[in-house]
Amino acid sequence: MTAIGKPLDRVDGLLKVTGQARYAGEFPEQGLLYGSVVSSTVAKGRVTRIDAAKALALPGVVMVLDHLNRPKLASYDDAFADADAADGSAFRPLYNDRVLYSGQPLALVIADNLELARHAGSLVEIEYATEPFETDLLALQEQAHPSPQTPPAPRGNFQAEWSTAAVHLDLHYSTPIEHHNPMEPHASTVLYQPDGTLHIHDKTQGPQNCQAYVQKVFGLDNTQVRVFAAFVGGAFGSGLRPQYQLPLAVMAALALKRSVRVTLTRQQMFTFGYRPRTLQRLQMGAAANGRLMALGHTAIGQTSRFEDFSEHVVEWSGMLYHCDNVQLTYKLVPLDVYTPLDMRAPGAALGVIGLECAMDELACALGIDPVQLRLINYAERNQNEDKPWSSKALRECYREGAERFGWSQRNPEPRSMRDGRQLIGWGMAGGVWEAMQMKASAKARLDANGKLTVSSATTDIGTGTYTVMTQIAAQTSGVAMGDISFLLGDSSLPTAPLQGGSFTVSSVGTAVQQACEALNVKLLEIARQTYPVFKEAETVRFEGGQLHTRDVSVSLAQLVKDGGKGALEVQVDSEPDKKREGYSTATHSAVFVEVRVDEDLGTLKVSRVVSAIAAGRVVNPKMARSQILGGVVWGIGMALHEETQIDHQLGRYMNHSLAEYHIPVNADIGDIDVVFVEEHDEIVNALGSKGVGEIGIVGVAAAVANAVYHATGKRVRDFPITLDKVL
Ligand code: MOS
């Protein structure tokens, strides 16, 4: 039985394509009430009057909740934090009369149907006493304060080495606000049970995080709240923290003792976390032979007034290349906006833009090929942690990626390659992401029919978790894929971390593997007690739903029966292996991009991408490839399309819809070739798997920018690279 490594289809695919997979806002219920959120139209101030009389006068409108009439909540007055909270005090919807940002939820209308609730919401009258506000990071950068999470301490003597280096560069880059925009908007369906307990279907990356949050905020005990998230239509980080529709829906359900659903509109998807705008400064000094002598990376990110959101923006510059004189700085500017939130490869997707564009500029300044420059400065250790890598096949990524792309045919001269009126540019960049592992638990239960059920309270946000966990269970238990059910998305299942950080396979996968191994131990014990041939057997094999030794086999179902109980069940709590402690663990990538730029019009298309990935063992190449494809598409979007624009006069987003917030569509995407290079890693975890959820996006935007420079001779350092900047 070799389930691991096969490009199997999704085990949940049929449910999804036939519409049987239900998402948070789709669970039907007799007498369900619908909530619609009324949002602030000003960026800062106080609500002086809120009048819902006209809304309440409509037949079918049941209630309008606001800060004045909301129920008293157990922990609204204390600081409370969720599992992915930032430093500070989390946002509390309907807490008081203060308006902290434009789009803030100020009231919840509950009605018999959604259309009525939305219409009634438009009739709620709100008056404000407005106050001056600031939403422009650029204008306030001088007020930046150090992030509470500090980057690694400086090493060597950056300033001296930088100023005396043969070549030295001082470069500024900027990246805009971006919003997650998963296909499925955030929604919570709170099913009020006859006994007063709550069953909640929520759009989340962590049902246990939401369970704990609701329990704490509403002062309930843990048997009173159960959170489900069987299917999630994309999240990308937006579901790491409980979003405000959840407490609002619960507030209404508890107040009315009824089932309530609150779904956010697409525009309201722009009223909570996002990828923060950053300003970056890259200072690089190199010897004439290409050796990096000094590297300084300063990033300023925006945050809210109530929380300091920090991510790893500059760390990567201290680890991707060997450099003995490094200075990393990370600062935040609080603005009158909502707190940013992790978004696919949080921090890395931003910081690696600065780093990898600057490396390209350095390659040009030195007259050294960009791949060669990276090889000259290859990091054999992670100097941030002063540890060796558990594995690192980045050299192979450069080599295999360059070969697949045809990099050796590149003329390094900008504007030297063309196809008719189109300038052709070839650019590349490297990428890096952490290979983390968290504690996780899993349960395995084998019944007397040989059916195996494995469970853990993780989610599948479209990544393929159902499938991959089933493969790991099949490989370990010897039970056929078709006889295995993997259960997730239920807070009552064994503890799992948030699905995020690319650590689900390494964390939950390890727990699944260990649970199945523990099951095997029990089965073997039964076999030894029951069958003489197994008593002495030294080598046994679990395969095809049977236990084998030499030429004798017994079915696992029979062993369960022999055990005398209806089923065998084991639960394990897995932890990161101690072996990891002496090492740095990371995934790496090399991305090669071809752009075609119309010389007259400045229109730009990414025609080809080769993404070579080193991520340890790939459990399912089909699903892993899809993760990388999604990351590459998003990277192209970061380079060319995505930007949430604020009108700083109003402190309000201008393009908060999918019509005006541009993301790549099929017609924008050319050929994407994904290569997984071989990487054996016995330290990272027993599966040897590092995770592929985020590495695919890292470096892509820089590679596109570098290709644009190669095509046109123009450096655009202010992202996204729109045609007005290229012309
Ligand atoms: Mo990911 S940004 O860790 O959901």
Side-chain angles (χ1 to χ4, degrees):
M1 163 67 66
T2 48
I4 292 185
K6 283 196 178 154
L8 300 176
D9 291 342
R10 284 173 193 268
V11 297
D12 52 330
L14 187 68
L15 289 179
K16 282 189 168 171
V17 298
T18 55
Q20 295 175 78
R22 283 194 203 279
Y23 294 82
E26 297 183 334
F27 286 84
E29 169 89 344
Q30 199 75 35
L32 183 68
L33 294 172
Y34 295 78
S36 179
V37 176
V38 182
S39 312
S40 168
T41 56
V42 306
K44 191 173 187 174
R46 288 180 184 277
V47 173
T48 54
R49 190 179 79 95
I50 184 158
D51 185 350
K54 286 187 186 136
L56 287 165
L58 295 175
V61 174
V62 177
M63 176 186 247
V64 179
L65 281 173
D66 59 40
H67 66 280
L68 294 169
N69 69 350
R70 67 157 168 87
K72 183 155 169 51
L73 302 178
S75 78
Y76 246 31
D77 300 319
D78 312 327
F80 63 89
D82 54 84
D84 194 47
D87 292 82
S89 169
F91 174 69
R92 291 163 283 183
L94 311 189
Y95 177 53
N96 61 16
D97 62 349
R98 293 215 66 102
V99 177
L100 304 172
Y101 68 99
S102 179
Q104 176 178 323
L106 296 179
L108 180 74
V109 180
I110 310 290
D112 288 342
N113 62 69
L114 178 61
E115 294 73 16
L116 179 61
R118 286 188 73 171
H119 171 61
S122 73
L123 303 178
V124 175
E125 292 169 10
I126 302 177
E127 286 171 18
Y128 308 90
T130 58
E131 293 167 21
F133 54 85
E134 301 277 2
T135 53
D136 189 357
L137 173 65
L138 198 57
L140 262 64
Q141 56 178 310
E142 299 307 322
Q143 296 178 19
H145 66 256
S147 155
Q149 278 184 37
T150 50
R155 59 178 181 255
N157 189 343
F158 163 75
Q159 201 57 42
E161 293 293 334
W162 180 66
S163 50
T164 57
V167 172
H168 65 159
L169 301 177
D170 188 356
L171 303 163
H172 292 262
Y173 301 91
S174 60
T175 65
I177 294 174
E178 293 171 3
H179 278 82
H180 302 77
N181 281 306
M183 286 289 280
E184 179 202 16
H186 279 250
S188 302
T189 302
V190 180
L191 301 175
Y192 193 88
Q193 303 299 299
D195 62 358
T197 63
L198 305 178
H199 284 184
I200 304 172
H201 296 278
D202 190 43
K203 190 231 173 68
T204 178
Q205 290 168 249
Q208 290 173 329
N209 188 30
C210 290
Q211 195 268 353
Y213 173 91
V214 168
Q215 197 190 318
K216 197 165 172 195
V217 170
F218 293 91
L220 304 171
D221 71 53
N222 68 359
T223 58
Q224 291 173 286
V225 187
R226 187 166 165 192
V227 177
F228 301 90
F231 295 97
V232 180
F236 313 114
S238 68
L240 290 171
R241 302 187 70 173
Q243 300 303 354
Y244 64 75
Q245 89 286 343
L246 174 64
L248 291 181
V250 171
M251 226 181 264
L254 289 175
L256 294 164
K257 299 193 182 339
R258 304 257 318 253
S259 296
V260 175
R261 170 182 304 156
V262 177
T263 306
L264 300 188
T265 63
R266 180 56 63 181
Q267 291 203 340
Q268 285 167 340
M269 292 297 289
F270 289 77
T271 60
F272 52 94
Y274 54 88
R275 201 193 292 281
R277 185 180 180 189
T278 63
L279 307 172
Q280 299 182 40
R281 180 183 186 191
L282 267 294
Q283 293 166 280
M284 281 184 178
N289 65 5
R291 211 62 206 169
L292 267 174
M293 303 308 294
L295 204 169
H297 191 168
T298 299
I300 303 176
Q302 72 175 62
T303 190
S304 68
R305 301 264 188 213
F306 46 95
E307 288 172 306
D308 270 349
F309 169 80
S310 48
E311 53 188 345
H312 292 171
V313 181
V314 294
E315 275 76 354
W316 319 100
S317 294
M319 64 195 266
L320 192 51
Y321 301 108
H322 182 94
C323 185
D324 295 328
N325 304 288
V326 172
Q327 184 171 297
L328 306 172
T329 310
Y330 179 38
K331 294 181 179 176
L332 301 174
V333 175
L335 298 170
D336 296 298
V337 295
Y338 197 86
T339 312
L341 179 59
D342 289 335
M343 185 190 285
R344 203 172 202 168
L350 298 171
V352 172
I353 288 182
L355 175 64
E356 288 299 273
C357 286
M359 280 298 278
D360 198 70
E361 301 208 34
L362 185 64
C364 292
L366 290 161
I368 296 177
D369 176 79
V371 177
Q372 188 55 32
L373 180 66
R374 286 164 172 84
L375 290 170
I376 291 170
N377 293 291
Y378 198 80
E380 301 291 354
R381 291 168 73 80
N382 178 353
Q383 288 180 285
N384 281 351
E385 299 182 341
D386 193 25
K387 287 179 183 174
W389 304 101
S390 64
S391 63
K392 179 180 172 182
L394 178 56
R395 261 196 201 92
E396 291 72 16
C397 291
Y398 293 139
R399 192 177 55 232
E400 289 187 37
E403 214 165 278
R404 289 280 269 266
F405 187 83
W407 187 256
S408 63
Q409 303 304 305
R410 180 178 185 260
N411 180 338
E413 194 59 40
R415 303 182 74 90
S416 64
M417 294 168 59
R418 61 166 65 230
D419 178 7
R421 283 179 20 186
Q422 290 186 316
L423 297 166
I424 293 179
W426 287 2
M428 62 82 56
V432 56
W433 181 251
E434 295 167 90
M436 294 175 271
Q437 185 178 353
M438 305 288 162
K439 287 183 185 179
S441 304
K443 185 157 62 180
R445 182 181 192 275
L446 185 68
D447 72 17
N449 296 316
K451 304 279 185 200
L452 177 64
T453 305
V454 185
S455 57
S456 183
T458 183
T459 57
D460 185 339
I461 57 175
T463 41
T465 309
Y466 276 113
T467 312
V468 165
M469 294 304 153
T470 306
Q471 286 176 268
I472 294 169
Q475 177 92 27
T476 315
S477 66
V479 176
M481 289 280 296
D483 287 329
I484 301 176
S485 307
F486 185 74
L487 305 181
L488 53 66
D490 176 345
S491 62
S492 71
L493 296 175
T495 309
L498 294 164
Q499 176 163 58
S502 300
F503 51 63
T504 299
V505 169
S506 59
S507 310
V508 180
T510 296
V512 166
Q513 186 184 40
Q514 291 181 2
C516 292
E517 284 167 355
L519 190 65
N520 289 353
V521 169
K522 283 202 168 191
L523 287 163
L524 188 57
E525 260 171 41
I526 295 170
R528 291 199 200 282
Q529 284 162 10
T530 318
Y531 304 97
V533 62
F534 283 100
K535 193 165 281 168
E536 306 293 292
E538 292 195 351
T539 53
V540 295
R541 219 167 68 245
F542 289 86
E543 199 180 301
Q546 299 192 310
L547 177 63
H548 308 266
T549 185
R550 277 165 280 156
D551 49 2
V552 185
S553 310
V554 57
S555 78
L556 302 184
Q558 183 58 46
L559 289 173
V560 173
K561 287 179 198 135
D562 295 336
K565 296 183 199 134
L568 274 184
E569 187 173 292
V570 291
Q571 181 166 335
V572 301
D573 305 314
S574 75
E575 296 206 18
D577 200 311
K578 290 266 179 289
K579 279 195 293 206
R580 289 172 58 98
E581 287 166 11
Y583 296 87
S584 276
T585 55
T587 53
H588 290 89
S589 67
V591 191
F592 296 82
V593 165
E594 177 182 276
V595 299
R596 289 168 171 261
V597 184
D598 185 293
E599 198 173 5
D600 302 315
L601 304 175
T603 53
L604 210 161
K605 171 145 180 151
V606 176
S607 42
R608 258 180 346 114
V609 178
V610 175
S611 173
I613 303 287
R617 186 188 196 188
V618 174
V619 178
N620 183 321
K622 182 175 182 180
M623 238 127 282
R625 177 173 176 273
S626 293
Q627 284 300 299
I628 303 305
L629 287 180
V632 168
V633 170
W634 200 337
I636 293 171
M638 285 188 86
L640 305 178
H641 304 264
E642 295 203 38
E643 176 176 20
T644 315
Q645 296 173 320
I646 298 189
D647 178 334
H648 295 297
Q649 299 295 313
L650 297 170
R652 196 168 169 80
Y653 296 132
M654 295 188 285
N655 58 339
H656 53 167
S657 73
L658 287 182
E660 294 183 79
Y661 181 94
H662 293 166
I663 56 170
V665 297
N666 261 318
D668 295 313
I669 300 301
D671 185 51
I672 302 174
D673 186 9
V674 179
V675 187
F676 291 103
V677 306
E678 280 209 13
E679 192 175 65
H680 296 285
D681 194 323
E682 294 183 355
I683 290 153
V684 69
N685 55 54
L687 290 162
S689 250
K690 291 181 173 176
V692 290
E694 343 234 1
I695 185 64
I697 191 175
V698 185
V700 177
V704 173
N706 297 340
V708 170
Y709 171 75
H710 181 239
T712 64
K714 178 143 186 181
R715 285 281 175 197
V716 179
R717 302 188 182 94
D718 175 34
F719 286 76
I721 305 169
T722 45
L723 97 179
D724 53 306
K725 297 174 191 167
V726 176
L727 267 179

